[in-house]
């Protein structure tokens, strides 16, 4: 499992994620790098960062943004989960058909 939000950048949250075997796919923020370097050897090693996984995160985020462009899904007025799920499926089909329409 992978965590993909900037909210997972603190040392405590990263430790919690490691404890649950979740890999954080985000770079260490510049201010945290400075704090760690200022502490010298007591600052510890920088957290691992995989550029390929981080690029893949962008694709997933853009996919979610595309789905949320549909007002019915963004506002979530549906009372039943089944209706909402149907809307998600419909939006996925429409997006897929638009993608296929662009191919020769």
């Amino acid at each position: 499992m992978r965590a993909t939000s900037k909210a997972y950048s603190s040392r405590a949250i990263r430790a919690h994620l490691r404890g649950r075997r979740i890999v954080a796919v985000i770079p260490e923020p510049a201010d945290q790098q400075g704090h760690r370097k200022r502490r010298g050897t007591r600052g510890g090693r920088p957290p691992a960062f995989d550029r390929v996984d981080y690029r893949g995160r962008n694709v997933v985020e853009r996919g979610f943004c595309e789905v949320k462009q549909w007002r019915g899904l963004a506002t979530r007025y549906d009372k039943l989960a089944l209706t909402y799920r149907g809307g998600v499926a419909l939006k996925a089909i429409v997006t897929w058909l638009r993608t296929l329409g662009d191919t020769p």
Side-chain angles (χ1 to χ4, degrees), residues 86-100:
V88 171
L90 181 61
K91 179 60 179 169
I93 290 168
V94 168
T95 303
W96 180 60
L97 289 174
R98 281 188 184 152
T99 303
L100 288 179

Side-chain angles (χ1 to χ4, degrees), residues 46-81:
F49 174 65
D50 187 356
R51 290 189 186 280
V52 175
D53 282 349
Y54 189 68
R55 286 186 189 128
R57 171 187 182 266
N58 180 29
V59 174
V60 173
E61 292 293 328
R62 284 186 293 142
F64 278 114
C65 288
E66 173 69 28
V67 171
K68 286 168 51 177
Q69 290 299 313
W70 192 26
R71 186 176 173 196
L73 295 176
T75 55
R76 183 82 167 70
Y77 287 132
D78 300 318
K79 293 187 187 278
L80 299 175

Side-chain angles (χ1 to χ4, degrees), residues 9-40:
S9 63
S10 75
R11 185 183 306 180
I13 299 272
R14 284 182 186 268
H16 176 74
L17 291 174
R18 276 193 302 273
R20 298 188 69 193
R21 297 183 182 168
I22 299 173
V23 179
V25 187
I26 55 171
E28 184 181 29
D31 64 331
Q32 290 181 12
Q33 288 176 2
H35 296 314
R36 187 176 38 76
K37 288 177 183 176
R38 188 183 72 236
R39 292 180 55 132

